[in-house]
């Protein structure tokens, strides 16, 4: 028997008790009659109060009733504010992100097939760059610059300048487009991984247990929001599609910002000692060997780009490099620490810059509930507790009614 039925049954019993004892004139009869009457009044008052939360009592009493339906939007806004301060607090999220070794997650993904996908994607990108190069123009430009500078020629800076100029060309735009499309194609497969879904579900479950505790409000909020891995990954996928579409739009602010960021990254690359060392080794090779740049550079670049054997050799070096990086990352604590710091700093910026998006998502989820669905959900969650108020109201009313009768009876006898 439901609590609502029990509360209604108690109210009926109080009414029948009042009728049955109405004509009794003895002390005990009047005591019971007063108790039943007070219990009936208390039960009816609490029934009215509980019903007024969800709907109009008796279907027509509208003054100050239907509290939840009338205040649905305000309640939703308050829930969103509560979630923003509590569950989606950026500091809270970032502190949890720091608990994960993301570098080892990269290694695990690579060992489960991600490495091969990365190789294929990188190969296609390199081939795209090679196929889009104007080798004749590049070769003559390099040859002219090399001949004019010779031994004091700063080739490391030239490469940086070339890359900065390249991303501004149509060929550079095509390469950027390819990178964006590659990320967009990879992400659905990555987000569809069972291991990722399991990790999300496990973490949501852990967070739910630790976060909710004994809080009825937090538990209620979790029931209203769909935090399943399928829904979260779909929302993220939609967000990635929306953002990459903006990046592919040459007139968008996002595209402009991306090119500015790429230029900054290229500039920062030129300041790294490791990069300068590699270029210095190349300079030593070319200048010590006295390579004839003007006669052979154009044909060398063209031959390299067109020769399938050179391409295969380059691809083999890329594969070896990727394998070496993953193997080193799996055992090198310093590399893991650097990569983790990179992920944490990047995620921190994303969270801080997009915290409002999370709140908007939560609000969209909450606003999916119609007034009736919202009322039904709240009633399902707290209805039993509210029905106990009705039962307690009848019990307290009965005790109060009998107590007042005893007091009035004693006072009458004392006053003669």
């Amino acid at each position: 028997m439901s609590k609502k039925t029990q509360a209604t049954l108690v109210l009926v019993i109080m009414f029948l008790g009042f009728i049955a004892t109405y004509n009794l004139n003895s002390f005990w009869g009047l005591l019971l009659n007063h108790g039943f009457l007070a219990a009936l009044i208390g039960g009816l008052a609490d029934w009215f109060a509980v019903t007024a939360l969800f709907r109009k009592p008796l279907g027509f009493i509208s003054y100050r009733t239907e509290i939840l339906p009338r205040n649905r939007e305000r309640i939703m806004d308050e829930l969103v504010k509560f979630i923003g301060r509590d569950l989606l607090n950026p500091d809270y999220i970032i502190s949890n992100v720091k608990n994960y070794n993301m570098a080892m997650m990269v290694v695990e993904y690579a060992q489960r097939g991600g490495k091969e996908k990365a190789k294929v994607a990188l190969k296609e990108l390199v081939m795209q760059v090679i196929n889009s190069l104007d080798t004749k123009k590049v070769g003559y430009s390099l040859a002219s610059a090399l001949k004019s500078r010779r031994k004091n020629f700063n080739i490391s800076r030239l490469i940086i300048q070339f890359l900065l100029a390249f991303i501004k060309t149509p060929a550079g735009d095509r390469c950027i487009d390819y990178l964006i499309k590659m990320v967009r194609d990879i992400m659905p497969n990555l987000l569809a991984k069972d291991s990722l879904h399991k990790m999300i579900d496990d973490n949501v479950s852990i967070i739910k247990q630790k976060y909710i505790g004994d809080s009825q409000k937090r538990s209620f909020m979790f029931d209203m929001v769909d935090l399943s891995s399928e829904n979260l990954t779909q929302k993220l996928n939609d967000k990635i599609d929306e953002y990459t579409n903006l990046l592919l739009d040459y007139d968008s602010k996002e595209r402009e910002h991306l090119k500015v960021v790429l230029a900054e990254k290229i500039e920062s690359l030129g300041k790294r000692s490791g990069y300068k060392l590699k270029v210095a080794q190349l300079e030593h090779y070319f200048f010590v060997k006295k390579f004839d740049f003007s006669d052979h550079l154009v044909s060398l670049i063209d031959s390299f780009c067109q020769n399938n054997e050179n391409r295969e050799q380059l691809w083999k070096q890329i594969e070896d490099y990727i394998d070496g990086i993953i193997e080193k990352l799996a055992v090198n604590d310093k590399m893991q620490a650097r990569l983790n710091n990179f992920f944490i700093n990047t995620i921190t910026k994303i969270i801080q810059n997009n915290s409002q998006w999370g709140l908007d998502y939560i609000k969209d989820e909450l606003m999916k509930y119609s007034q009736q669905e919202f009322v039904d959900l709240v009633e399902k969650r707290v209805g039993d507790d509210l029905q106990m108020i009705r039962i307690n109201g009848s019990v307290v009313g009965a005790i109060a009614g009998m107590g007042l009768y005893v007091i009035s009876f004693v006072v009458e006898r004392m006053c003669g």
Side-chain angles (χ1 to χ4, degrees):
M1 184 184 299
S2 68
K3 288 288 191 296
K4 185 175 183 180
T5 303
Q6 292 177 17
T8 303
L9 182 59
V10 169
L11 197 61
V12 171
I13 292 172
M14 296 301 109
F15 175 73
L16 294 176
F18 170 69
I19 297 298
T21 59
Y22 185 74
N23 291 322
L24 298 178
N25 292 319
S26 65
F27 170 80
W28 293 108
L30 291 172
L31 179 66
L32 290 174
N33 183 255
H34 281 76
F36 281 128
L37 177 59
L40 181 61
I41 294 171
L44 284 172
D46 287 333
W47 165 81
F48 184 91
V50 170
T51 304
L53 286 173
F54 305 103
R55 57 188 64 85
K56 297 176 183 178
L58 301 178
F60 66 88
I61 302 176
S62 59
Y63 182 72
R64 297 293 184 180
T65 61
E66 289 188 305
I67 294 172
L68 286 178
R70 285 192 298 104
N71 294 277
R72 169 176 167 270
E73 189 166 350
R74 184 173 64 82
I75 293 171
M76 295 299 191
D77 288 337
E78 289 300 320
L79 278 174
V80 171
K81 291 178 183 178
F82 170 74
I83 294 167
R85 295 190 304 267
D86 206 36
L87 177 63
L88 295 185
N89 185 296
D91 294 335
Y92 174 78
I93 298 174
I94 292 168
S95 65
N96 278 280
V97 169
K98 292 179 179 179
N99 294 328
Y100 293 94
N101 188 339
M102 296 188 182
M104 289 308 298
M105 292 170 65
V106 171
V107 173
E108 184 179 350
Y109 172 72
Q111 293 172 345
R112 293 186 178 183
K115 182 169 62 175
E116 300 306 319
K117 292 180 180 179
K119 289 179 181 179
V120 172
L122 189 57
K123 180 179 180 181
E124 291 179 1
L125 175 62
V126 171
M127 293 303 107
Q128 180 78 7
V129 172
I130 291 175
N131 293 332
S132 62
L133 280 178
D134 184 343
T135 55
K136 185 175 182 180
K137 184 176 180 179
V138 172
Y140 276 113
S141 297
L142 285 174
S144 176
L146 289 169
K147 283 190 291 185
S148 66
R149 298 291 298 274
R150 295 301 286 180
K151 292 185 178 180
N152 62 345
F153 180 67
N154 187 358
I155 191 171
S156 63
R157 185 59 194 167
L158 176 66
I159 293 173
I160 298 301
Q161 291 174 340
F162 168 74
L163 291 175
L164 290 172
F166 176 72
I167 63 174
K168 298 178 182 178
T169 65
D173 276 323
R174 288 196 296 272
C175 288
I176 293 173
D177 290 346
Y178 177 80
L179 269 173
I180 296 169
K181 292 175 181 177
M182 178 183 71
V183 171
R184 186 166 63 180
D185 291 340
I186 289 174
M187 287 308 296
N189 293 328
L190 177 60
L191 294 176
K193 289 285 186 182
D194 291 338
S195 57
L196 179 63
H197 281 250
K198 185 177 184 303
M199 183 186 74
I200 293 174
D201 288 334
D202 290 346
N203 280 277
V204 169
S205 178
I206 293 170
I207 290 172
K208 183 176 180 180
Q209 291 175 1
K210 292 183 178 180
Y211 173 75
I212 291 177
D214 297 327
S215 172
Q216 187 74 11
K217 189 174 183 180
R218 291 177 173 178
S219 176
F220 173 61
M221 183 278 297
F222 256 97
D223 286 340
M224 294 189 68
V225 180
D226 184 3
L227 294 178
S228 64
S229 58
E230 291 78 7
N231 191 44
L232 292 176
T233 53
Q234 181 60 49
K235 292 289 184 183
L236 182 57
N237 228 343
D238 293 342
K239 188 69 176 177
I240 291 171
D241 283 341
E242 178 186 342
Y243 185 63
T244 51
N245 284 334
L246 291 173
L247 291 180
L248 291 171
D249 181 1
Y250 287 12
D251 297 325
S252 69
K253 293 181 180 179
E254 287 76 7
R255 177 74 175 210
E256 182 180 347
H257 178 68
L258 174 63
K259 297 189 81 168
V260 170
V261 171
L262 284 175
E264 291 174 352
K265 294 297 182 183
I266 292 171
E267 285 282 7
S268 65
L269 173 66
K271 298 175 183 178
R272 294 182 181 177
S273 56
Y275 162 75
K276 293 179 179 179
L277 177 61
K278 292 290 183 183
V279 174
Q281 292 172 347
L282 289 173
E283 286 183 309
H284 174 76
Y285 170 78
F286 282 115
F287 288 123
V288 170
K289 300 283 185 180
K290 295 183 179 180
F291 188 80
D292 189 350
F293 298 105
S294 58
D295 296 333
H296 300 290
L297 188 56
V298 174
S299 60
L300 176 67
I301 295 174
D302 190 61
S303 174
F304 178 83
C305 293
Q306 300 301 324
N307 189 296
N308 289 330
E309 184 177 343
N310 287 337
R311 292 189 181 196
E312 291 300 323
Q313 185 177 3
L314 174 63
W315 175 232
K316 179 65 169 56
Q317 292 175 346
I318 291 173
E319 282 190 321
D320 292 342
Y321 177 76
I322 293 175
D323 289 337
I325 286 291
I326 296 299
E327 290 174 5
K328 190 175 180 181
L329 182 61
V331 297
N332 191 309
D333 294 338
K334 291 184 178 179
M335 280 186 67
Q336 291 180 19
R338 287 198 300 269
L339 186 58
N340 279 327
N341 287 334
F342 167 76
F343 278 132
I344 290 171
N345 291 336
T346 302
I347 293 172
T348 299
K349 290 179 181 178
I350 292 173
I351 291 172
Q352 290 172 341
N353 294 333
N354 294 275
S355 57
Q356 186 57 46
W357 176 83
L359 294 179
D360 292 340
Y361 162 71
I362 295 293
K363 187 169 184 179
D364 290 341
E365 287 290 311
L366 295 177
M367 294 306 291
K368 288 179 182 178
Y369 291 90
S370 66
Q371 279 193 354
Q372 189 56 48
E373 288 173 335
F374 174 61
V375 168
D376 291 342
L377 179 64
V378 176
E379 194 168 13
K380 181 180 178 182
R381 288 289 302 175
V382 300
D384 285 349
D385 292 333
L386 294 176
Q387 298 308 320
M388 286 304 300
I389 291 176
R390 291 176 55 193
I391 295 173
N392 292 335
S394 294
V395 173
V396 172
I399 295 171
M402 289 188 292
L404 288 173
Y405 175 74
V406 170
I407 292 172
S408 65
F409 180 83
V410 172
V411 170
E412 286 179 0
R413 294 300 181 271
M414 290 176 64
C415 294

